[in-house]
């Protein structure tokens, strides 16, 4: 009669451990006993096999329930195993070839055969608005310590998921959920972009040609004479995109900035204007 392995002891967790606690302990032990970290060490090699076998059982709710029933109810059996439908039962190494422990280990990466039951993994990736728009090659570090390069598509949106084949556990896939971080001065409102323009009083009164940023780069616009604070100017098709590729607009919100310090000459000129101006914004409110 074969004895049931104590997978909880192997993963250094209690039988009441949560899924997150099991995952965290597995990652810690996998790094410690990985063959690339302990080249030629047979003890570490066997320990690594046991860790992966234990995690394969305890990370799956159904397998864990079956295991607990057999182990803690002390039922007798001839051989204890959790067979996949294709009846695989070899205890091999997990595919951890992408874990970056050090540069030397990566250069001498060993081909490690896969355990049964590949598992997909999900992770969140925070990126800037510009990166989401342009895409391109990006190096990212995962929670399990791996550092991988990803070819990011352009025009990504928050909540979008990117599938990376064979980058999960045991040859499963990795799904990256894209989250666009708040921008320093662009505000996303659905697929429109809001940008605040600060004008001097003279620019607002006289009108001016100015340069403003968009996610496509800098563009020149003409501010009309007499524009008011709170008004908006629209730049058509300069916004962001939805999942169908439809593009929004960029809206320029006008605000008037009052200087906190001015020169003696400027003060003199403002006094001259004040003595001659006929505009009274409070005329109809008194």
């Amino acid at each position: 009669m074969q004895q049931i392995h104590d997978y909880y002891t192997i993963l250094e967790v209690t039988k009441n451990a949560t899924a997150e606690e099991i995952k965290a302990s597995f990652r810690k032990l996998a790094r410690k006993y990985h063959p690339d970290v302990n080249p030629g060490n047979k003890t570490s090699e066997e320990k690594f096999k046991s860790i992966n076998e234990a995690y394969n059982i305890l990370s799956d709710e159904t397998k864990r329930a079956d295991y607990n029933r057999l182990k803690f109810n002390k039922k007798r059996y001839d051989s204890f195993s959790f067979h996949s439908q294709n009846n695989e039962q070899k205890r091999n190494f997990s595919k951890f070839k992408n874990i970056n422990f050090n540069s030397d280990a990566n250069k001498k990466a060993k081909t490690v055969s896969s355990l049964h039951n590949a598992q997909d993994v999900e992770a969140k990736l925070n990126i800037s608005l510009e990166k989401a728009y342009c895409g391109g090659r990006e190096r990212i570090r995962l929670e399990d310590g791996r550092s991988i390069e990803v070819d990011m598509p352009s025009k990504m949106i928050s909540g979008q998921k990117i599938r990376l084949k064979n980058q999960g556990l045991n040859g499963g896939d990795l799904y990256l959920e894209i989250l666009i971080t708040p921008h320093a001065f662009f505000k996303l409102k659905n697929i429109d972009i809001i940008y605040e323009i600060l004008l001097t009083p003279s620019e607002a009164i006289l009108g001016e040609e100015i340069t403003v940023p968009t996610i496509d780069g800098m563009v020149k616009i003409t501010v009309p004479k007499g524009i008011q604070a709170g008004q908006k100017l629209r730049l058509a098709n300069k916004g962001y995109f939805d999942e169908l590729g439809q593009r929004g607009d960029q809206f320029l919100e006008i605000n008037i900035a009052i200087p906190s310090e001015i020169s003696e000459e400027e003060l003199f000129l403002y006094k001259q204007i004040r003595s001659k101006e006929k505009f009274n914004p409070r005329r109809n409110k008194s």
Side-chain angles (χ1 to χ4, degrees):
M1 302 254 178
Q2 183 180 352
Q3 184 179 4
I4 298 178
H5 295 295
D6 190 342
Y7 289 136
Y8 290 103
T9 299
I10 292 172
L11 281 186
E12 299 181 3
V13 295
T14 67
K15 69 176 182 179
N16 297 319
T18 64
E20 287 301 315
E21 289 171 337
I22 289 172
K23 183 187 295 185
S25 186
F26 165 70
R27 288 173 176 169
K28 179 186 71 173
L29 294 172
R31 292 188 185 98
K32 181 178 179 181
Y33 293 103
H34 194 280
D36 285 348
V37 178
N38 305 277
N41 188 324
K42 295 298 182 182
T43 302
S44 293
E45 193 173 292
E46 291 302 316
K47 180 71 172 177
F48 186 72
K49 289 181 185 179
S50 299
I51 291 165
N52 280 279
E53 181 181 334
Y55 184 70
N56 184 43
I57 302 304
L58 298 185
S59 63
D60 185 290
E61 290 185 6
T62 302
K63 292 180 181 179
R64 184 179 180 182
D66 289 341
Y67 169 75
N68 288 343
R69 193 159 46 247
L70 285 170
K71 179 171 177 59
F72 298 113
N73 289 341
K74 302 181 187 290
K75 291 185 177 181
R76 298 174 66 86
Y77 60 94
D78 292 326
S79 63
F80 176 74
S81 61
F82 291 96
H83 289 264
S84 58
Q85 289 186 352
N86 59 7
N87 211 25
E88 294 177 349
Q89 187 53 30
K90 294 181 181 179
R91 295 174 183 172
N92 298 323
F93 290 151
S94 175
K95 283 184 178 178
F96 274 79
K97 59 185 179 182
N98 289 318
I99 294 183
N100 288 343
F101 295 102
N102 54 61
S103 58
D104 292 336
N106 289 335
K107 292 177 182 177
K108 299 177 181 179
K110 299 178 181 180
T111 303
V112 186
S113 50
S114 174
L115 277 174
H116 339 300
N117 300 325
Q119 295 183 31
D120 293 340
V121 175
E122 293 189 0
K124 297 183 186 297
L125 179 61
N126 294 298
I127 60 175
S128 67
L129 180 64
E130 290 88 350
K131 191 66 181 179
Y133 176 58
C134 297
R137 201 159 185 81
E138 182 85 351
R139 177 169 288 279
I140 62 174
R141 182 169 293 279
L142 302 175
E143 290 181 359
D144 60 14
R146 288 181 292 158
S147 178
I148 62 176
E149 284 192 345
V150 182
D151 287 321
M152 312 292 286
S154 61
K155 303 170 187 175
M156 293 178 287
I157 60 176
S158 274
Q160 177 180 343
K161 289 187 178 180
I162 298 175
R163 177 190 176 201
L164 303 177
K165 291 184 178 180
N166 304 322
Q167 294 292 342
L169 290 175
N170 305 330
D173 297 333
L174 170 64
Y175 290 86
L176 289 178
E177 181 180 358
I178 301 301
L179 299 175
I180 299 177
T181 57
H183 197 274
F185 46 84
F186 288 136
K187 294 180 182 178
L188 273 179
K189 186 176 181 181
N190 297 322
I191 58 174
D192 293 329
I193 292 176
I194 312 298
Y195 174 71
E196 181 187 32
I197 294 181
L198 294 176
L199 299 177
T200 67
S202 61
E203 287 175 332
I205 292 170
L206 302 175
E208 186 74 25
E209 185 179 80
I210 63 174
T211 302
V212 297
T214 72
I215 58 174
D216 292 315
M218 304 298 289
V219 298
K220 286 185 177 181
I221 66 164
T222 299
V223 176
K225 295 179 181 180
I227 196 165
Q228 303 291 307
Q231 282 187 248
K232 292 181 180 180
L233 301 178
R234 173 174 169 259
L235 300 179
N237 297 316
K238 288 294 183 182
Y240 205 68
F241 297 82
D242 62 16
E243 62 274 11
L244 299 178
Q246 180 179 352
R247 190 167 194 183
D249 302 323
Q250 179 168 324
F251 289 91
L252 309 175
E253 290 187 342
I254 303 301
N255 205 344
I256 311 299
I258 306 299
S260 58
E261 295 182 4
I262 57 176
S263 66
E264 289 293 327
E265 183 180 6
E266 288 173 316
L267 179 60
F268 173 78
L269 292 173
Y270 274 119
K271 286 181 178 180
Q272 290 288 97
I273 294 172
R274 180 71 188 93
S275 67
K276 298 181 182 296
E277 70 181 356
K278 297 179 180 180
F279 175 64
N280 182 359
R282 299 175 299 280
R283 179 174 297 159
N284 297 323
K285 295 182 183 290
S286 58

